[in-house]
Amino acid sequence: MSAAGDRAARYLDLENAPFTFPGSRILVQRADGALTVRLAEYERPLDECVLVRTLRVYTADGRVAPVTDVLPDRIEFADAGVTLTFDGPSALSLGGGGRWSVELDVPSLADAGLDAGLWRPGLPSAATASWSAVGADDLLVRGDTVRLSFSGSSLRLDIASGASADGASADDGRADVSHVRALAATAQVWNDWFARCPVVRDDLADMTAFCWWVLGANIVTLPGRGGARAVVPSKIGYVGLWQWDAYFIAAGLRHGDPELAREQLDLAFGFPTAAGQLPDVVHDDGVLASSDDLPPGDRDNLRRAGSAIADPTAPIPLTKPPLAAWALRALEGRVDDPAWFERAWATVARSQDWWFRDSDLDGDGMPEYGHPYSSGLDDSPVFDAELPVASPDLAAYLILQDDLLAAHARDRGDRAADAMHRERAEATLAALERMWDDEAGFFRSSGAGHPLAAQTAVSLLPLLTGRLPGRIVGRMLAAIDDPERFATPFAVPTVAARDPDFSPERMWRGPVWINVNALLVEGLAVSGHAERSRALAEATLSLVIDGGGPHEYFNPLTGGKARTATTSFGWSAALFVDLAVRVSA
Ligand code: GLC
């Protein structure tokens, strides 16, 4: 492995970081002292996508061979002389030179046809799986357990959508060769990936390598989208391309793989509605662009939480915050394709118009969130009240986006568009300033026109505009420095500590999120506070390093992973890389 690969390997624990491969849906993790093999699919719990419940390797004398090492390209069982690797994105290959055996506990052997070393279990997914055991000396089937013994040969587990499996050949010589070939090919893929890992300051190099691994490991190909490569938020939980996740992920990828960064925006911008609205999620079988597209599981969760929007009377559009221009700007100078940029800017401009035309739900000139998902902050207390929600974060994003669209129009010499975007940004800035509550000292959100009591991190995001009066910025800095508000031991909490809704573990109701911190790092810089910006960047990097990795969100009191947060999370990894590169410059 390359040096960066070795650095990343320190974090590969088969729990927080599954064994997987760029482009693959297959995940190998630890379970019950063994390994388990599952498939990552859009909005399906992993436990419904089990291919192998447990996989155990045994030595020649019948002892369980423990996992002795996990590297990006292979899992080693040194006691048995066996390795597990990928053979392309849809197959695992397990092989070794001496005498060894493997025991597989599979979900259902009932449907499995047993034919010359080939089993095809009925799978709870669209995919089919097959296992070919090449050169097995012995076979034992007991209940749902298969035990295969080998001398010097290999077992291949093929997992492919609709693909039929090859029958096994009993040519053990060939099996060994194919396993060795699979090992070399997998190592090559990871070496090429790590060769792109950005070079950063020494103290940040280990975590940067791991975060770079996360971005490669989270690549999924979308067969329903012409095989496009999506870097998903997490193969353990979010298997699709979420609109604003794609923006943050692209901002990290640009430092080592600008082309892959561009592909993320291509997917994100590729499926606007006729009205210009960008979808919340792009996935294999379609998009999530309205409440009509909600997967049944998601709808059930909303219903259980007592949410009226589980079954709205009319479809509600679902999107993500308007930071598309922010993401596009991040690729400027990295991708050399003016025609592509022109098309992308036009898509962004249409989506910005959509907010003002179709999401200003009370017609006061200031757009609102019609659904919590569209804010990206699904569970934030600002959505405990009635919809629609007018919010300072949305105002800030829209101002920034119109400012960037105006700058782009100026570059093209389009004076009319420049003027239009500038005027609209001014009007939104005026609306934002009306949200300022001078007595309370924060920007208030409101639900269905009523100002809300909750003080959340969205009240800090207006810093992003770089256009606030110094007096207001001063009050915001005081809130950031106040231990009762945003100066928790690990900052910045998504809800102020003294707010009755503050909860250090609950998603968007207290925990620290790396994207919010990264936006505030930028907001402080553009508001004239370079030193504070730098300090927050360093604190955010330390949080990820000391907290054990790029988790989805962190407890602001302990700095550890919040219990329900997922791990190896795309935007946390990407923004770690982005911040690490910035502070290393
Ligand atoms: C959660 C977050 C949302 C994010 C999505 C995918 O729903 O609330 O902001 O886009 O996960 O990571």
PDB file of all heavy atoms in Angstrom, residues 416-441:
ATOM      1  N   ALA A 416     -28.021  43.071 -17.628  1.00  0.00           N
ATOM      2  CA  ALA A 416     -29.411  42.958 -17.132  1.00  0.00           C
ATOM      3  C   ALA A 416     -29.477  41.908 -16.032  1.00  0.00           C
ATOM      4  O   ALA A 416     -30.071  42.127 -14.964  1.00  0.00           O
ATOM      5  CB  ALA A 416     -30.341  42.601 -18.282  1.00  0.00           C
ATOM      6  N   ALA A 417     -28.834  40.755 -16.284  1.00  0.00           N
ATOM      7  CA  ALA A 417     -28.875  39.686 -15.274  1.00  0.00           C
ATOM      8  C   ALA A 417     -28.129  40.137 -14.020  1.00  0.00           C
ATOM      9  O   ALA A 417     -28.570  39.887 -12.888  1.00  0.00           O
ATOM     10  CB  ALA A 417     -28.263  38.404 -15.839  1.00  0.00           C
ATOM     11  N   ASP A 418     -27.021  40.812 -14.204  1.00  0.00           N
ATOM     12  CA  ASP A 418     -26.252  41.320 -13.060  1.00  0.00           C
ATOM     13  C   ASP A 418     -27.140  42.198 -12.174  1.00  0.00           C
ATOM     14  O   ASP A 418     -27.251  41.995 -10.961  1.00  0.00           O
ATOM     15  CB  ASP A 418     -25.042  42.102 -13.592  1.00  0.00           C
ATOM     16  CG  ASP A 418     -24.289  42.833 -12.491  1.00  0.00           C
ATOM     17  OD1 ASP A 418     -24.328  42.350 -11.334  1.00  0.00           O
ATOM     18  OD2 ASP A 418     -23.651  43.869 -12.776  1.00  0.00           O
ATOM     19  N   ALA A 419     -27.844  43.118 -12.816  1.00  0.00           N
ATOM     20  CA  ALA A 419     -28.694  44.052 -12.057  1.00  0.00           C
ATOM     21  C   ALA A 419     -29.817  43.296 -11.350  1.00  0.00           C
ATOM     22  O   ALA A 419     -30.109  43.553 -10.171  1.00  0.00           O
ATOM     23  CB  ALA A 419     -29.258  45.115 -12.998  1.00  0.00           C
ATOM     24  N   MET A 420     -30.412  42.347 -12.051  1.00  0.00           N
ATOM     25  CA  MET A 420     -31.533  41.606 -11.459  1.00  0.00           C
ATOM     26  C   MET A 420     -31.082  40.863 -10.201  1.00  0.00           C
ATOM     27  O   MET A 420     -31.723  40.929  -9.154  1.00  0.00           O
ATOM     28  CB  MET A 420     -32.085  40.630 -12.502  1.00  0.00           C
ATOM     29  CG  MET A 420     -33.364  39.939 -12.100  1.00  0.00           C
ATOM     30  SD  MET A 420     -33.087  38.515 -11.038  1.00  0.00           S
ATOM     31  CE  MET A 420     -32.767  37.253 -12.265  1.00  0.00           C
ATOM     32  N   HIS A 421     -29.948  40.156 -10.308  1.00  0.00           N
ATOM     33  CA  HIS A 421     -29.479  39.382  -9.152  1.00  0.00           C
ATOM     34  C   HIS A 421     -29.077  40.303  -7.998  1.00  0.00           C
ATOM     35  O   HIS A 421     -29.332  40.006  -6.837  1.00  0.00           O
ATOM     36  CB  HIS A 421     -28.311  38.473  -9.544  1.00  0.00           C
ATOM     37  CG  HIS A 421     -28.732  37.338 -10.433  1.00  0.00           C
ATOM     38  ND1 HIS A 421     -29.615  36.369 -10.037  1.00  0.00           N
ATOM     39  CD2 HIS A 421     -28.410  37.041 -11.723  1.00  0.00           C
ATOM     40  CE1 HIS A 421     -29.809  35.511 -11.035  1.00  0.00           C
ATOM     41  NE2 HIS A 421     -29.101  35.905 -12.067  1.00  0.00           N
ATOM     42  N   ARG A 422     -28.466  41.436  -8.351  1.00  0.00           N
ATOM     43  CA  ARG A 422     -28.052  42.346  -7.271  1.00  0.00           C
ATOM     44  C   ARG A 422     -29.262  42.938  -6.555  1.00  0.00           C
ATOM     45  O   ARG A 422     -29.296  43.018  -5.331  1.00  0.00           O
ATOM     46  CB  ARG A 422     -27.135  43.443  -7.815  1.00  0.00           C
ATOM     47  CG  ARG A 422     -25.675  42.944  -7.879  1.00  0.00           C
ATOM     48  CD  ARG A 422     -24.686  44.043  -8.152  1.00  0.00           C
ATOM     49  NE  ARG A 422     -24.883  44.599  -9.479  1.00  0.00           N
ATOM     50  CZ  ARG A 422     -25.081  45.887  -9.734  1.00  0.00           C
ATOM     51  NH1 ARG A 422     -25.105  46.759  -8.737  1.00  0.00           N
ATOM     52  NH2 ARG A 422     -25.244  46.309 -10.959  1.00  0.00           N
ATOM     53  N   GLU A 423     -30.253  43.317  -7.336  1.00  0.00           N
ATOM     54  CA  GLU A 423     -31.456  43.886  -6.700  1.00  0.00           C
ATOM     55  C   GLU A 423     -32.155  42.863  -5.806  1.00  0.00           C
ATOM     56  O   GLU A 423     -32.598  43.168  -4.707  1.00  0.00           O
ATOM     57  CB  GLU A 423     -32.447  44.368  -7.768  1.00  0.00           C
ATOM     58  CG  GLU A 423     -32.123  45.761  -8.241  1.00  0.00           C
ATOM     59  CD  GLU A 423     -32.804  46.058  -9.570  1.00  0.00           C
ATOM     60  OE1 GLU A 423     -33.912  45.529  -9.825  1.00  0.00           O
ATOM     61  OE2 GLU A 423     -32.194  46.818 -10.361  1.00  0.00           O
ATOM     62  N   ARG A 424     -32.220  41.642  -6.314  1.00  0.00           N
ATOM     63  CA  ARG A 424     -32.917  40.621  -5.520  1.00  0.00           C
ATOM     64  C   ARG A 424     -32.133  40.338  -4.229  1.00  0.00           C
ATOM     65  O   ARG A 424     -32.718  40.158  -3.157  1.00  0.00           O
ATOM     66  CB  ARG A 424     -33.103  39.353  -6.351  1.00  0.00           C
ATOM     67  CG  ARG A 424     -34.185  38.459  -5.796  1.00  0.00           C
ATOM     68  CD  ARG A 424     -34.656  37.426  -6.809  1.00  0.00           C
ATOM     69  NE  ARG A 424     -33.572  36.580  -7.269  1.00  0.00           N
ATOM     70  CZ  ARG A 424     -33.690  35.699  -8.274  1.00  0.00           C
ATOM     71  NH1 ARG A 424     -34.836  35.556  -8.916  1.00  0.00           N
ATOM     72  NH2 ARG A 424     -32.673  34.958  -8.641  1.00  0.00           N
ATOM     73  N   ALA A 425     -30.801  40.331  -4.342  1.00  0.00           N
ATOM     74  CA  ALA A 425     -29.984  40.100  -3.145  1.00  0.00           C
ATOM     75  C   ALA A 425     -30.217  41.217  -2.119  1.00  0.00           C
ATOM     76  O   ALA A 425     -30.324  40.965  -0.914  1.00  0.00           O
ATOM     77  CB  ALA A 425     -28.506  40.026  -3.523  1.00  0.00           C
ATOM     78  N   GLU A 426     -30.333  42.456  -2.612  1.00  0.00           N
ATOM     79  CA  GLU A 426     -30.594  43.583  -1.698  1.00  0.00           C
ATOM     80  C   GLU A 426     -31.926  43.410  -0.970  1.00  0.00           C
ATOM     81  O   GLU A 426     -32.036  43.614   0.238  1.00  0.00           O
ATOM     82  CB  GLU A 426     -30.639  44.915  -2.464  1.00  0.00           C
ATOM     83  CG  GLU A 426     -29.291  45.444  -2.917  1.00  0.00           C
ATOM     84  CD  GLU A 426     -28.306  45.633  -1.771  1.00  0.00           C
ATOM     85  OE1 GLU A 426     -28.746  45.938  -0.634  1.00  0.00           O
ATOM     86  OE2 GLU A 426     -27.093  45.445  -1.986  1.00  0.00           O
ATOM     87  N   ALA A 427     -32.933  43.009  -1.733  1.00  0.00           N
ATOM     88  CA  ALA A 427     -34.273  42.853  -1.138  1.00  0.00           C
ATOM     89  C   ALA A 427     -34.246  41.731  -0.102  1.00  0.00           C
ATOM     90  O   ALA A 427     -34.859  41.827   0.969  1.00  0.00           O
ATOM     91  CB  ALA A 427     -35.301  42.562  -2.230  1.00  0.00           C
ATOM     92  N   THR A 428     -33.522  40.644  -0.387  1.00  0.00           N
ATOM     93  CA  THR A 428     -33.464  39.528   0.561  1.00  0.00           C
ATOM     94  C   THR A 428     -32.671  39.940   1.799  1.00  0.00           C
ATOM     95  O   THR A 428     -33.010  39.545   2.923  1.00  0.00           O
ATOM     96  CB  THR A 428     -32.820  38.279  -0.101  1.00  0.00           C
ATOM     97  OG1 THR A 428     -33.420  38.090  -1.381  1.00  0.00           O
ATOM     98  CG2 THR A 428     -33.033  37.036   0.729  1.00  0.00           C
ATOM     99  N   LEU A 429     -31.639  40.770   1.581  1.00  0.00           N
ATOM    100  CA  LEU A 429     -30.862  41.259   2.724  1.00  0.00           C
ATOM    101  C   LEU A 429     -31.756  42.099   3.647  1.00  0.00           C
ATOM    102  O   LEU A 429     -31.695  41.981   4.878  1.00  0.00           O
ATOM    103  CB  LEU A 429     -29.672  42.090   2.225  1.00  0.00           C
ATOM    104  CG  LEU A 429     -28.700  42.598   3.275  1.00  0.00           C
ATOM    105  CD1 LEU A 429     -28.045  41.441   4.029  1.00  0.00           C
ATOM    106  CD2 LEU A 429     -27.612  43.474   2.632  1.00  0.00           C
ATOM    107  N   ALA A 430     -32.610  42.900   3.027  1.00  0.00           N
ATOM    108  CA  ALA A 430     -33.542  43.713   3.842  1.00  0.00           C
ATOM    109  C   ALA A 430     -34.473  42.790   4.624  1.00  0.00           C
ATOM    110  O   ALA A 430     -34.749  43.014   5.817  1.00  0.00           O
ATOM    111  CB  ALA A 430     -34.327  44.662   2.942  1.00  0.00           C
ATOM    112  N   ALA A 431     -34.936  41.714   3.976  1.00  0.00           N
ATOM    113  CA  ALA A 431     -35.834  40.765   4.667  1.00  0.00           C
ATOM    114  C   ALA A 431     -35.081  40.078   5.806  1.00  0.00           C
ATOM    115  O   ALA A 431     -35.629  39.864   6.893  1.00  0.00           O
ATOM    116  CB  ALA A 431     -36.371  39.734   3.674  1.00  0.00           C
ATOM    117  N   LEU A 432     -33.820  39.747   5.556  1.00  0.00           N
ATOM    118  CA  LEU A 432     -33.007  39.112   6.593  1.00  0.00           C
ATOM    119  C   LEU A 432     -32.866  40.055   7.794  1.00  0.00           C
ATOM    120  O   LEU A 432     -33.011  39.644   8.951  1.00  0.00           O
ATOM    121  CB  LEU A 432     -31.626  38.746   6.026  1.00  0.00           C
ATOM    122  CG  LEU A 432     -30.586  38.246   7.030  1.00  0.00           C
ATOM    123  CD1 LEU A 432     -31.026  36.934   7.682  1.00  0.00           C
ATOM    124  CD2 LEU A 432     -29.219  38.045   6.346  1.00  0.00           C
ATOM    125  N   GLU A 433     -32.603  41.322   7.507  1.00  0.00           N
ATOM    126  CA  GLU A 433     -32.412  42.263   8.619  1.00  0.00           C
ATOM    127  C   GLU A 433     -33.685  42.418   9.450  1.00  0.00           C
ATOM    128  O   GLU A 433     -33.624  42.660  10.655  1.00  0.00           O
ATOM    129  CB  GLU A 433     -31.861  43.595   8.103  1.00  0.00           C
ATOM    130  CG  GLU A 433     -30.392  43.420   7.718  1.00  0.00           C
ATOM    131  CD  GLU A 433     -29.726  44.661   7.132  1.00  0.00           C
ATOM    132  OE1 GLU A 433     -30.414  45.687   6.970  1.00  0.00           O
ATOM    133  OE2 GLU A 433     -28.514  44.583   6.843  1.00  0.00           O
ATOM    134  N   ARG A 434     -34.821  42.210   8.814  1.00  0.00           N
ATOM    135  CA  ARG A 434     -36.074  42.260   9.575  1.00  0.00           C
ATOM    136  C   ARG A 434     -36.219  41.061  10.520  1.00  0.00           C
ATOM    137  O   ARG A 434     -37.017  41.082  11.440  1.00  0.00           O
ATOM    138  CB  ARG A 434     -37.279  42.344   8.627  1.00  0.00           C
ATOM    139  CG  ARG A 434     -37.427  43.730   7.981  1.00  0.00           C
ATOM    140  CD  ARG A 434     -38.793  43.903   7.333  1.00  0.00           C
ATOM    141  NE  ARG A 434     -38.980  43.049   6.163  1.00  0.00           N
ATOM    142  CZ  ARG A 434     -38.560  43.343   4.923  1.00  0.00           C
ATOM    143  NH1 ARG A 434     -37.941  44.505   4.693  1.00  0.00           N
ATOM    144  NH2 ARG A 434     -38.766  42.520   3.924  1.00  0.00           N
ATOM    145  N   MET A 435     -35.444  40.012  10.274  1.00  0.00           N
ATOM    146  CA  MET A 435     -35.505  38.838  11.169  1.00  0.00           C
ATOM    147  C   MET A 435     -34.652  39.044  12.424  1.00  0.00           C
ATOM    148  O   MET A 435     -34.688  38.241  13.346  1.00  0.00           O
ATOM    149  CB  MET A 435     -34.986  37.578  10.453  1.00  0.00           C
ATOM    150  CG  MET A 435     -35.846  37.142   9.290  1.00  0.00           C
ATOM    151  SD  MET A 435     -35.156  35.633   8.544  1.00  0.00           S
ATOM    152  CE  MET A 435     -35.999  35.648   6.971  1.00  0.00           C
ATOM    153  N   TRP A 436     -33.834  40.103  12.423  1.00  0.00           N
ATOM    154  CA  TRP A 436     -32.967  40.364  13.567  1.00  0.00           C
ATOM    155  C   TRP A 436     -33.802  40.829  14.762  1.00  0.00           C
ATOM    156  O   TRP A 436     -34.583  41.771  14.649  1.00  0.00           O
ATOM    157  CB  TRP A 436     -31.906  41.408  13.214  1.00  0.00           C
ATOM    158  CG  TRP A 436     -31.038  41.803  14.368  1.00  0.00           C
ATOM    159  CD1 TRP A 436     -31.074  42.976  15.068  1.00  0.00           C
ATOM    160  CD2 TRP A 436     -30.007  41.012  14.976  1.00  0.00           C
ATOM    161  NE1 TRP A 436     -30.141  42.966  16.071  1.00  0.00           N
ATOM    162  CE2 TRP A 436     -29.465  41.779  16.044  1.00  0.00           C
ATOM    163  CE3 TRP A 436     -29.491  39.746  14.732  1.00  0.00           C
ATOM    164  CZ2 TRP A 436     -28.426  41.299  16.853  1.00  0.00           C
ATOM    165  CZ3 TRP A 436     -28.463  39.271  15.536  1.00  0.00           C
ATOM    166  CH2 TRP A 436     -27.941  40.048  16.589  1.00  0.00           C
ATOM    167  N   ASP A 437     -33.665  40.175  15.897  1.00  0.00           N
ATOM    168  CA  ASP A 437     -34.353  40.587  17.114  1.00  0.00           C
ATOM    169  C   ASP A 437     -33.306  41.253  17.995  1.00  0.00           C
ATOM    170  O   ASP A 437     -32.454  40.586  18.582  1.00  0.00           O
ATOM    171  CB  ASP A 437     -34.950  39.350  17.797  1.00  0.00           C
ATOM    172  CG  ASP A 437     -35.679  39.714  19.090  1.00  0.00           C
ATOM    173  OD1 ASP A 437     -35.312  40.720  19.731  1.00  0.00           O
ATOM    174  OD2 ASP A 437     -36.620  38.969  19.450  1.00  0.00           O
ATOM    175  N   ASP A 438     -33.368  42.566  18.053  1.00  0.00           N
ATOM    176  CA  ASP A 438     -32.294  43.304  18.707  1.00  0.00           C
ATOM    177  C   ASP A 438     -32.251  43.038  20.209  1.00  0.00           C
ATOM    178  O   ASP A 438     -31.190  42.975  20.809  1.00  0.00           O
ATOM    179  CB  ASP A 438     -32.437  44.800  18.432  1.00  0.00           C
ATOM    180  CG  ASP A 438     -31.095  45.493  18.582  1.00  0.00           C
ATOM    181  OD1 ASP A 438     -30.106  44.996  17.996  1.00  0.00           O
ATOM    182  OD2 ASP A 438     -31.031  46.501  19.312  1.00  0.00           O
ATOM    183  N   GLU A 439     -33.413  42.855  20.775  1.00  0.00           N
ATOM    184  CA  GLU A 439     -33.454  42.631  22.211  1.00  0.00           C
ATOM    185  C   GLU A 439     -32.847  41.271  22.560  1.00  0.00           C
ATOM    186  O   GLU A 439     -31.980  41.153  23.432  1.00  0.00           O
ATOM    187  CB  GLU A 439     -34.911  42.678  22.670  1.00  0.00           C
ATOM    188  CG  GLU A 439     -35.043  43.019  24.134  1.00  0.00           C
ATOM    189  CD  GLU A 439     -36.511  43.156  24.485  1.00  0.00           C
ATOM    190  OE1 GLU A 439     -37.241  43.829  23.718  1.00  0.00           O
ATOM    191  OE2 GLU A 439     -36.910  42.561  25.497  1.00  0.00           O
ATOM    192  N   ALA A 440     -33.266  40.244  21.842  1.00  0.00           N
ATOM    193  CA  ALA A 440     -32.767  38.889  22.120  1.00  0.00           C
ATOM    194  C   ALA A 440     -31.352  38.710  21.571  1.00  0.00           C
ATOM    195  O   ALA A 440     -30.600  37.853  22.037  1.00  0.00           O
ATOM    196  CB  ALA A 440     -33.710  37.858  21.515  1.00  0.00           C
ATOM    197  N   GLY A 441     -31.008  39.492  20.558  1.00  0.00           N
ATOM    198  CA  GLY A 441     -29.655  39.407  20.003  1.00  0.00           C
ATOM    199  C   GLY A 441     -29.440  38.231  19.068  1.00  0.00           C
ATOM    200  O   GLY A 441     -28.348  37.686  18.996  1.00  0.00           O
TER     201      GLY A 441
END
